[in-house]
Every structure is written in C-alpha cells, then in structure tokens.
Amino acid sequence: MNASDAVQAVRVEADVETSSDGYARRFSGSVGRWFLEVQSRVTSRILTALPEHSRILDVGGGHGQLVDAVLDGGHQLTIIGSDPRCGHRLTKWTEAGRLKFEIGNLLSLPYPDSTFDAALCFRLMPHVGEEWPRLISELCRVSARMVIIDYPSAESVNFLAERLFAIKKRVEGDTRPFRVFGRAEIDSAFRAAGFRISRREPQFLWPMALHRAHHSAFIGRMLEAPVRGLGITRALGSPVIAMAERA
C-alpha cells in the first residue's frame, strides 16, 4: 500500500463507521439522546455568533448529529463524506432539499479557500490517526471565519484511555481505539493554520462509557450537575467542543 492508499484507507474507515446505523444505535435510549442534546445545545450556542444564512460545511457529518443545530439556526448546510454510504442517514433532509451531501477526500477537501463561513467536524478527529493536523489544516483552509471541532481531551480521565479501553469496549460493544489530544497540540495545529482557539466547552466530567453503563439520563444528569456547578467539568471535562476563529 502506497502513501495515498494509506490516507484513503484511514479516511474511509473513519467516517463510514460514524455514518452507519450501527453507530447511531450507540446514541439511542435516554442516555444517548442526552449526549446528543448536550452536544447540540453547545453547538447551537456557538453558532449564534454567525449571521443567519451562513454557509456551513460539516466534514464527516454523515451521522447527522449536527443537522438540526445548523438548520434551526437558519444556516445553509453542506455535508461531505468520503463514500456514498455516508449519505445514508441524511436522505430525509437531502430529498427535501434542506441540505447538500457531497463526496470527496476529507483530508484534501474539494473546495477553494474560504468557501464556507464555518466548518464543523465532530466524531472524526480521534479516528484519523496521525493525519489529524492535516484535517485541521483543511478545515481552516475552507472556512472564512470559524471552525468547530470536538475531541477527547488528555486533560481528563481520558489520560487513562488505554487502560480503560477494555472496559469501554465491554460496555459499548463496537467502540474503536481512539486518540486523545492535549490542549497545547490542538492550539498549535490551529495556530499553524492561521486560527486561534477562542472557546472550549467540555461536555462531561465522567466517562461517557460510565453513563452508558447505568442506562439512565436522570442518573447521568445527577452525577454531572454538581461537578459542572463547581467548575470541575470546565477544567477536566471531555469530549471538548472547541471553536477556533481566523486570527
């Protein structure tokens, strides 16, 4: 396998999986819906910084988790996936003409510089291996104003990711190995692309696998509320939703 084939393999494996029905089932039930509610609420708050009808690109967004947050804000949405299969869960929106789904190389996006007002990328960063700085560079290149990503933080219980992976796999069943990121390396990658992180929103203190294990959004909220109120989640939470703006 040559270098270009290796990049192709990485990008296809990453977003084809997160666009599948099997992956969507990980967010079924009260806990899964709660996860998505938190993610959508934070993303919607960030998107209020953009004027209505902004052009937004969601890279690897075939999971459809951000569609409502974008469309409810009155924006124009394009989702790009690496394979036709990545559009499977978007049919109800594409057939209604509410968003565009396109296919291309996620690590070499087929758009001119600053085509979009903002670029989003969720559920992808931990699964593209050592190509993640290239992914950030491409997100910044095609965005005129803002990039929003999520990532598992090393400044959290994720620093035990390798040790806890076996437990996580028993709870979640189909989970994949993932990379965690330190604040400094994320900052550095964005600076290299001419952007700076201006906002971080950690979502949970306790591991998502723990919340999946107890099967109750009510218990999850009870566990998260006190540590969030004390500011512990902001310091040590994960995954982090980060907004970067053109410097």
Side-chain angles (χ1 to χ4, degrees), residues 9-10 31 34-36 38 49 54 64 96 111 114 166 183 190 200 207-208 227-228 232 237-238 242:
V10 168
V31 170
W34 171 52
F35 288 163
L36 296 183
V38 172
S54 290
Y111 307 108
S114 301
R183 177 185 296 251
F190 275 106
R200 282 185 169 90
M208 293 171 78
V227 292
R228 184 176 300 279
I232 300 173
S238 184

Side-chain angles (χ1 to χ4, degrees), residues 93-114:
W93 293 293
T94 54
E95 290 184 347
R98 300 196 66 201
L99 63 81
K100 295 179 182 178
F101 172 69
E102 298 177 341
I103 301 164
N105 187 339
L106 307 190
L107 300 176
S108 182
L109 295 169
Y111 307 108
D113 297 357
S114 301

Side-chain angles (χ1 to χ4, degrees), residues 33-97:
R33 290 192 297 271
W34 171 52
F35 288 163
L36 296 183
E37 286 167 11
V38 172
Q39 175 182 275
S40 182
R41 185 166 61 246
V42 172
T43 305
S44 295
R45 280 202 305 265
I46 294 174
L47 289 175
T48 59
L50 293 172
E52 197 172 2
H53 306 303
S54 290
R55 299 159 300 162
I56 296 179
L57 177 69
D58 187 348
V59 176
H63 45 70
Q65 293 178 356
L66 303 175
V67 172
D68 288 337
V70 175
L71 296 184
D72 289 350
H75 303 301
Q76 303 170 41
L77 178 59
T78 300
I79 295 177
I80 183 168
S82 64
D83 184 277
R85 289 173 290 172
C86 299
H88 164 66
R89 298 188 57 79
L90 305 174
T91 304
K92 67 179 180 180
W93 293 293
T94 54
E95 290 184 347

Side-chain angles (χ1 to χ4, degrees), residues 57-237:
L57 177 69
D58 187 348
V59 176
H63 45 70
Q65 293 178 356
L66 303 175
V67 172
D68 288 337
V70 175
L71 296 184
D72 289 350
H75 303 301
Q76 303 170 41
L77 178 59
T78 300
I79 295 177
I80 183 168
S82 64
D83 184 277
R85 289 173 290 172
C86 299
H88 164 66
R89 298 188 57 79
L90 305 174
T91 304
K92 67 179 180 180
W93 293 293
T94 54
E95 290 184 347
R98 300 196 66 201
L99 63 81
K100 295 179 182 178
F101 172 69
E102 298 177 341
I103 301 164
N105 187 339
L106 307 190
L107 300 176
S108 182
L109 295 169
Y111 307 108
D113 297 357
S114 301
T115 297
F116 299 91
D117 297 297
L120 314 179
C121 187
F122 283 47
R123 309 292 178 193
L124 189 60
M125 280 274 294
H127 303 297
V128 295
E130 296 311 306
E131 298 293 336
W132 69 268
R134 178 175 173 178
L135 176 60
I136 286 179
S137 177
E138 281 295 282
L139 292 168
C140 294
R141 182 184 65 79
V142 301
S143 176
R145 298 184 55 175
M146 177 191 299
V147 171
I148 307 171
I149 64 169
D150 78 335
Y151 66 90
S153 172
E155 289 89 12
S156 70
V157 293
N158 279 315
F159 79 93
L160 295 172
E162 291 186 4
R163 296 181 183 180
L164 295 175
F165 180 72
I167 298 172
K168 178 178 168 68
K169 189 170 181 65
R170 283 201 296 272
V171 171
E172 298 182 350
D174 59 350
T175 193
R176 298 172 291 168
F178 63 97
R179 191 191 194 285
V180 299
F181 299 87
R183 177 185 296 251
E185 62 183 338
I186 293 291
D187 286 349
S188 177
F190 275 106
R191 280 197 305 271
F195 278 61
R196 63 177 181 84
I197 298 286
S198 57
R199 184 169 178 175
R200 282 185 169 90
E201 296 268 2
Q203 295 175 75
F204 308 101
L205 179 71
W206 306 111
M208 293 171 78
L210 170 65
H211 291 312
R212 286 194 169 100
H214 60 59
H215 301 294
S216 169
F218 175 78
I219 293 173
R221 290 187 177 97
M222 292 294 290
L223 290 172
E224 293 288 341
V227 292
R228 184 176 300 279
L230 292 169
I232 300 173
T233 303
R234 177 162 292 280
L236 299 173

